[in-house]
Amino acid sequence: MISLYKVSYKNLLRKKTRSILTIIGIALSAWVLASLMGFNQGYEAALNRDIDNMGFQVTLMAKGCPYEAATLMLKGGTGLRYLKQSVADSVLSEEEVEKITPMLMQAVFDPNKGESGGMSAYLGVDPATFPSMKTFLEFKQGKWFTDSKAFEAVMGYEAAELEQREVGDKLLIPEKDIELTVVGVLKRTGTQDDGTIFLPISAVQKIFGKEGEITSVGIKVKKEANIAKFEERLYNIPDVQVVSLAQVKQTIMNLVSTAKVMVFSIAVIAILIAMVGVINTILMSVFERFQEIGILKSIGAMPADIFKLIWMETLILCFFGGVTGSAMAFGLSKLTEVLIRKLLPYAPTGSLVQLDAKLVITTLIAVLIIGLVSGIYPAWRAASVRPLESIRSEAN
Amino acid sequence: MNEVAITAQNLRKTYRRGSEEICAVNDISLDIEKGEYVSFIGPSGSGKTTLINILGCLDNPSSGKLSVARKTVFGNGKPLSEKELTVIRRELFGYIFQKFYLIPTLTVLENVLLPRTFYKKPSANENVSELLNMLGIEKRKHHLPGQLSGGEMQRVAVARALINKPEILLADEPTGNLDSARSQEIGKLLNELNQKESLTVILVTHNPELAKTADRIIELRDGKIFS
C-alpha cells in the first residue's frame, strides 16, 4: 500500500528546483508573518517594561512638545527646558503623591566618545528619593553616593563598559574639567538606565551652574489615588507639562501604528505573492500531468481522491515553507529587529520581536490555511479532468 | 453457452464538428464472453478506440445499450456521471495504454500498488510478489521506471492494471511504443493472462501479428463491424 501523502510528496520531487523556489517564497512570507506577529506582541511588552522600569507613573517637565517630552522621558534629550526646584516641593504636598524625585539632565559633547565624538548625558538624581523609587536597580559593583553633594558617579552597565570604568576610577566631564569618582556600576537592566551616568542632583546643579533648577520631577502616585483627577490639578501649575505614562504609551503607540501598517502591508503583499506562487506551481504541475491524472482516474481514483492528492501537494509545500519561515524568523530575529528599528519613530529597549511556540504554531496554521485556499483551484481543475480527455490527448 | 462479459446493442456515438455530425460508432451490436480474448483492428478513424472507450466505460454512447457483467451500464435513459463510471471501472476493468503512464518518481512496486491507494477490491490478490513474478518484474520492483526498458515498463503497467483483479482487461495499442520483439512478448503475456487467469481481454491494435494472438478478431471500418 502506498499512501496518498507519499504519492504527493514524490510528485513534488519531479521538479525539485520549482518546488524549492516555491517553498522559499512561502518561507519568506511566513518569516514576514511570524516577525510581524512577534513584533506586535514584543513592542508593547518592551514599551510596558520600559515604562514600568521608570519607577514612577507621572512626570512633570517644562512645557513643550509632548513628543519631545515623551522622548526625553524615555531616552533622555538635550533640547532642555527647566523648572524651578520649588515646583517639586509644591507637588509633594498633594495628597495623591506617595513619593517624588527631582531630576536634572545635562549633556555635553565628548570629543573622545566614539570615532568622531558624541554626547555624554549626566542625570542628576536625589540620593534620598531616587534609589527608593528605582528599587529594581541592582549594583554590579559599589553602591549609591556617599554624600548628597559629592562629585561621585554611578554608571549604568553600558556606560561603564563604554567608558571602561570600574568603582574607584575617575571620570572626567568634558568642557568642565571636573573629575568624578565612580562609586557604583549598575547591573544590566535592558533599559535606558544602562547608558546613563547618575550623579547627585546638587553636584550636577553646581557643575553646570543650574542651582535651583531641574528638568523633570518623577512622581509615584498612591495606589488608591485617582490619577486623572490628580493630573488635572497638576495642569494648573504654570509652565508645566504633565506627562503620564498612559499618555506616553498612547502617544508612542499612535506613532508606531504607522510603522505597523507598513509592516502589515508588506506581510499582506508577501502572502499574496506566495499564494500566487503556490497556485502557479501546482497549476503548472496539474497541466503537465494532465494525461497522468486522467489515467489515475481510470485506475480507480475518484474526483475527491485527485482533489486530495493535489491539495496534499499544496499543503506539503506550505508546511515546509512555514517551518522554514518560522525557523528563519527565529534565526534572523536580530536582523528583523534592526530593520524594524529603522522604521520606528521610537523603539523601546529590549527585544522588539518576541517569538514563542504559540506564535510559531499560529504562523504554521496561517500558512497552511493559505495553502488550503491556494490549492482549491488547482485541485478542482485536476479533479475535473476526465480520463477520456486524457486518452484522447494521448491519441493526438 | 458461456457467461457473457459485455453485451452491446445498437451502440452509436456521434460528435459534432462545426455543423457536421460525425458518427464514430455506428450501430454496433456484439457480445464478448467471459474469458474471451477479442482484438479490434482497423485503419485509423475506423472507430475502434471510441468503441473500446464505450465498452470500457470511459465514455457514454450517444444511444444504444451496454451491459457489463450482467449490469446495465448504459441504456437506462440517462448518461452516467463521472463518479458512477469510476465505480464501475474500478470494480470491473483494468486498462493498459500505448504510453505507459507510470509515475516516474515512484518505484515499480509503488506504481503497481497505486490503484490500491484509491480503492482495494475485496477479492484482490494480497500477494503482490506473485503478480510481479508472473510478469517477470519481481527483481525490478525497487527500480524507478526510468531504469526500465519499454517492455518492462509495459509489464509494470499490466501489473498495475491487474492489481485489483479486474474481470476485463482493456488494452489500447499496448505495443505502439515497443519494437517487434517486445510486442511479441506483450502478445504472449496477454494470451497467457487470458488462458491461465481466465481474464477477458479486449485488445485494440494496428499490429496484425498481435491481433492474431486473440480468439476472435473484429475488424472495424467507418464505425461499423466489417468482419
Coordinates of all heavy atoms in Angstrom, one line a residue, chain A residues 39 58-59 81 84 94 112 135 138 160-161 182 213 216 227 243 248 258 263 274 298 308 321 327 332 336 347 396:
Chain A
F39 N 6.6 41.0 16.5 CA 6.7 42.5 16.7 C 5.5 43.0 17.5 O 5.6 43.8 18.4 CB 6.9 43.2 15.4 CG 6.8 44.7 15.5 CD1 7.8 45.4 16.2 CD2 5.8 45.4 14.8 CE1 7.7 46.8 16.3 CE2 5.7 46.8 14.9 CZ 6.7 47.5 15.6
V58 N 3.9 59.4 36.7 CA 3.7 60.7 36.1 C 5.0 61.5 36.2 O 5.8 61.4 37.2 CB 2.6 61.5 36.9 CG1 2.4 62.9 36.3 CG2 1.3 60.7 37.0
T59 N 5.3 62.2 35.1 CA 6.5 63.1 35.1 C 6.1 64.5 34.8 O 5.2 64.8 34.0 CB 7.5 62.6 34.0 OG1 7.8 61.3 34.3 CG2 8.7 63.5 34.0
R81 N 14.5 72.2 28.8 CA 13.9 73.4 29.4 C 13.9 73.1 30.9 O 13.9 71.9 31.3 CB 12.4 73.5 28.9 CG 12.3 73.9 27.5 CD 10.9 73.5 26.9 NE 10.9 73.7 25.5 CZ 10.4 74.8 24.9 NH1 10.0 75.8 25.6 NH2 10.4 74.9 23.6
K84 N 11.7 75.2 38.1 CA 12.3 75.6 39.4 C 12.1 74.4 40.4 O 11.1 73.7 40.3 CB 11.5 76.8 40.0 CG 11.8 78.1 39.2 CD 13.2 78.6 39.5 CE 13.5 79.7 38.5 NZ 15.0 79.8 38.3
E94 N 0.7 67.4 47.6 CA -0.6 66.9 47.1 C -0.8 65.5 47.8 O 0.1 64.7 48.0 CB -0.5 66.7 45.6 CG -0.3 67.9 44.8 CD -1.5 68.8 44.7 OE1 -2.6 68.3 45.0 OE2 -1.4 70.0 44.3
N112 N 36.1 62.6 22.8 CA 36.8 61.3 22.8 C 35.8 60.1 22.7 O 36.2 59.0 22.8 CB 37.6 61.1 24.1 CG 38.6 62.2 24.2 OD1 39.3 62.5 23.2 ND2 38.8 62.8 25.4
T135 N 13.8 50.7 42.8 CA 14.3 49.6 43.6 C 14.8 48.4 42.8 O 15.5 47.6 43.3 CB 13.1 49.1 44.6 OG1 12.0 48.9 43.7 CG2 12.8 50.1 45.6
E138 N 20.0 47.2 40.4 CA 21.0 46.4 41.3 C 22.4 46.8 40.9 O 22.7 47.1 39.7 CB 20.7 44.9 41.1 CG 19.4 44.4 41.7 CD 19.3 43.0 41.4 OE1 18.8 42.6 40.3 OE2 19.6 42.2 42.4
A160 N 29.4 52.2 31.7 CA 30.7 51.7 32.3 C 31.5 50.9 31.3 O 32.7 51.1 31.3 CB 30.4 50.9 33.5
E161 N 30.8 50.1 30.5 CA 31.5 49.3 29.5 C 32.2 50.2 28.5 O 33.3 50.0 28.1 CB 30.5 48.4 28.8 CG 30.0 47.3 29.6 CD 30.8 46.0 29.5 OE1 30.9 45.5 28.4 OE2 31.4 45.6 30.6
V182 N 34.0 57.2 40.4 CA 33.0 56.2 40.2 C 32.8 55.4 41.5 O 33.7 54.8 42.0 CB 33.3 55.3 39.0 CG1 32.3 54.2 38.8 CG2 33.5 56.1 37.7
E213 N 17.5 74.6 39.8 CA 16.7 74.2 38.6 C 16.8 72.7 38.4 O 17.7 72.0 38.7 CB 17.3 74.9 37.3 CG 17.0 76.4 37.3 CD 17.5 77.1 36.0 OE1 18.7 76.9 35.7 OE2 16.7 77.8 35.4
S216 N 13.1 67.7 35.3 CA 11.8 66.9 35.5 C 11.6 66.5 36.9 O 12.6 66.5 37.7 CB 11.8 65.7 34.5 OG 12.9 64.9 34.8
I227 N -5.6 59.1 39.4 CA -4.6 59.7 38.7 C -5.1 60.8 37.8 O -4.5 61.9 37.7 CB -3.7 58.7 37.9 CG1 -3.0 57.7 38.8 CG2 -2.7 59.3 37.0 CD1 -2.2 56.7 38.2
V243 N 3.2 64.7 32.0 CA 3.3 63.5 31.1 C 3.0 62.3 31.9 O 3.8 62.0 32.8 CB 4.6 63.4 30.4 CG1 4.6 62.2 29.4 CG2 5.0 64.7 29.7
V248 N 2.1 58.7 27.5 CA 3.3 58.4 26.8 C 3.1 57.1 25.9 O 3.4 57.1 24.7 CB 4.5 58.2 27.7 CG1 5.7 57.6 27.0 CG2 4.8 59.5 28.5
T258 N 1.7 53.6 12.5 CA 2.0 53.9 11.1 C 3.0 52.8 10.6 O 2.9 52.2 9.5 CB 2.7 55.3 10.9 OG1 1.9 56.2 11.7 CG2 2.7 55.7 9.5
V263 N 4.4 47.5 8.0 CA 4.9 46.2 8.1 C 3.8 45.2 7.7 O 4.0 44.2 7.0 CB 5.4 45.9 9.5 CG1 5.9 44.4 9.7 CG2 6.5 46.8 9.9
A274 N 3.2 34.8 -2.3 CA 3.4 33.4 -2.0 C 2.2 32.6 -2.5 O 2.3 31.5 -3.1 CB 3.5 33.2 -0.5
S298 N -8.7 6.6 -14.3 CA -9.1 5.3 -15.0 C -8.7 4.1 -14.2 O -9.3 3.0 -14.3 CB -8.5 5.2 -16.4 OG -7.2 4.8 -16.3
K308 N -7.8 15.6 -3.3 CA -7.0 15.4 -2.0 C -5.5 15.4 -2.4 O -4.7 15.9 -1.7 CB -7.4 14.2 -1.3 CG -8.5 14.4 -0.3 CD -8.7 13.2 0.6 CE -9.6 12.1 -0.1 NZ -9.8 10.9 0.7
G321 N 7.4 25.3 3.8 CA 7.7 26.7 3.7 C 7.4 27.4 5.0 O 8.2 28.2 5.5
A327 N 11.6 29.1 11.2 CA 13.0 28.9 11.6 C 13.8 30.2 11.3 O 14.6 30.7 12.1 CB 13.6 27.7 11.0
L332 N 16.8 34.8 12.3 CA 17.1 36.1 11.8 C 16.4 37.2 12.6 O 16.2 38.3 12.2 CB 16.7 36.2 10.4 CG 17.4 35.3 9.4 CD1 16.9 35.4 8.0 CD2 18.9 35.5 9.4
T336 N 15.8 41.1 11.8 CA 14.4 41.7 11.7 C 14.3 42.9 12.6 O 13.7 43.9 12.3 CB 13.4 40.6 12.1 OG1 13.7 39.4 11.5 CG2 12.0 41.1 11.8
A347 N 11.8 53.3 19.5 CA 11.9 51.9 19.8 C 12.3 51.7 21.3 O 13.3 52.3 21.7 CB 12.9 51.2 18.9
N396 N -3.9 12.0 -29.8 CA -3.4 13.1 -30.7 C -1.9 13.0 -30.7 O -1.2 13.9 -30.7 CB -4.0 14.4 -30.2 CG -5.5 14.4 -30.4 OD1 -6.0 13.7 -31.3 ND2 -6.2 15.2 -29.6

